[in-house]
Amino acid sequence: MADQTIGVSKARELMEKSNGAFFGVAFIKKNGDYREMNCRLGVSKGVNGTGRSFEPSAYDLLGVFDVQKDAHRMINLRTVVALNIGGESYKVGA
């Protein structure tokens, strides 16, 4: 099956509507390294209730829980290159 190509806004929408389901995402880190992550949204493990000191969406970031590193991480939505969610594979382009 060929990958479908979607835009960044559609990728964000799919991730936000995942309802806590696991998904895989590939992106380019700040230092230029390629990174693949298995993650999910809505995990409250390790949350202390003080909240973030900034709004991630203002910087095109999405807060997720990385299941491999067992920690919360941020994904830069501007650098996402691939998304696997709901049994579908997508290439993410501008």
Side-chain angles (χ1 to χ4, degrees), residues 35-76:
R35 167 96 153 87
E36 292 181 350
M37 181 188 302
N38 291 322
C39 51
R40 62 187 290 198
L41 298 176
V43 176
S44 59
K45 178 181 178 179
V47 176
N48 61 15
T50 59
R52 296 183 174 122
S53 60
F54 69 100
E55 183 58 44
S57 61
Y59 301 96
D60 286 332
L61 300 174
L62 181 65
V64 298
F65 186 79
D66 182 343
V67 296
Q68 293 154 318
K69 296 202 175 196
D70 198 33
H72 292 271
R73 297 286 188 251
M74 291 285 174
I75 297 173
N76 184 344

